[in-house]
């Protein structure tokens, strides 16, 4: 369960095939009409959500294939993925969009941002190094 834009404290969240199509509720994809914006989509039934979980992310239900029991979704990357129709998804867009719009302003914040990820900061240009240190 992730927070979606439009949720509020004390809101009732309903899960299951009889839940209404409103922001924050969790439904199987077969109950969701085409063109609906969803997030926190499962890859396999019962794995609690794998796709479209980052801040401001969402997936769009493109098509249902009733014969095969699959649903096609468009992921935040732009790729399309086919998942079983009985996987669950949360309705709405993940909260926290626009988080990257604010500038870091100082090197210390960039240091702490990249310290938890990997050794990709600071980026030093090759021409700024001595030839012996390449």
């Amino acid at each position: 369960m992730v927070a979606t834009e439009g949720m509020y404290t004390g809101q009732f969240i309903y899960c299951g095939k009889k839940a209404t199509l409103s922001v924050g509720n969790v439904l199987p994809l077969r109950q969701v009409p085409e063109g609906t914006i969803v997030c926190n989509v499962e890859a396999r039934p019962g794995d609690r959500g794998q796709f479209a979980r980052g801040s401001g992310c969402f997936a769009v239900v493109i098509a249902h294939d009733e014969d095969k029991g699959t649903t096609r979704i468009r992921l935040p990357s732009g790729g399309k993925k086919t998942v079983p129709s009985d996987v669950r998804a949360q309705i709405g867009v993940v909260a926290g969009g626009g988080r990257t719009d604010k500038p870091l302003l100082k090197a210390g914040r960039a240091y702490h941002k990249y310290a938890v990820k990997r050794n990709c900061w600071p980026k030093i240009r090759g021409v700024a190094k001595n030839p012996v240190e390449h």
Side-chain angles (χ1 to χ4, degrees):
M1 177 76 55
V2 295
T4 56
E5 287 183 10
M7 287 174 78
Y8 54 89
T9 306
Q11 178 181 356
F12 286 97
I13 304 296
Y14 297 100
C15 303
K17 55 182 100 170
K18 293 182 180 173
T20 59
L21 191 72
S22 60
V23 172
N25 288 352
V26 180
L27 287 87
L29 277 182
R30 72 173 71 246
Q31 308 295 121
V32 177
E34 294 171 5
T36 305
I37 290 178
V38 294
C39 64
N40 198 17
V41 184
E42 294 178 330
R44 280 174 247 97
D47 71 1
R48 298 185 181 179
Q50 301 294 318
F51 305 122
R53 291 172 52 101
S55 62
C57 288
F58 62 90
V60 181
V61 178
I62 299 172
H64 296 291
D65 189 351
E66 302 293 331
D67 301 332
K68 295 180 186 171
T70 59
T71 300
R72 203 148 168 79
I73 58 172
R74 185 182 304 116
L75 299 173
S77 62
K80 295 177 177 69
K81 188 135 184 94
T82 304
V83 293
S85 290
D86 51 346
V87 301
R88 296 170 296 179
Q90 194 170 356
I91 308 300
V93 180
V94 182
R99 176 178 51 89
T100 57
D101 296 343
K102 180 181 167 193
L104 291 173
L105 293 178
K106 56 185 199 171
R109 293 203 182 122
Y111 171 81
H112 291 295
K113 174 184 175 182
Y114 291 109
V116 297
K117 294 184 177 181
R118 61 202 71 83
N119 188 19
C120 63
W121 188 87
K123 279 192 169 71
I124 298 171
R125 297 167 301 129
V127 295
K129 290 184 176 183
N130 295 322
V132 73
E133 284 154 4
H134 275 275

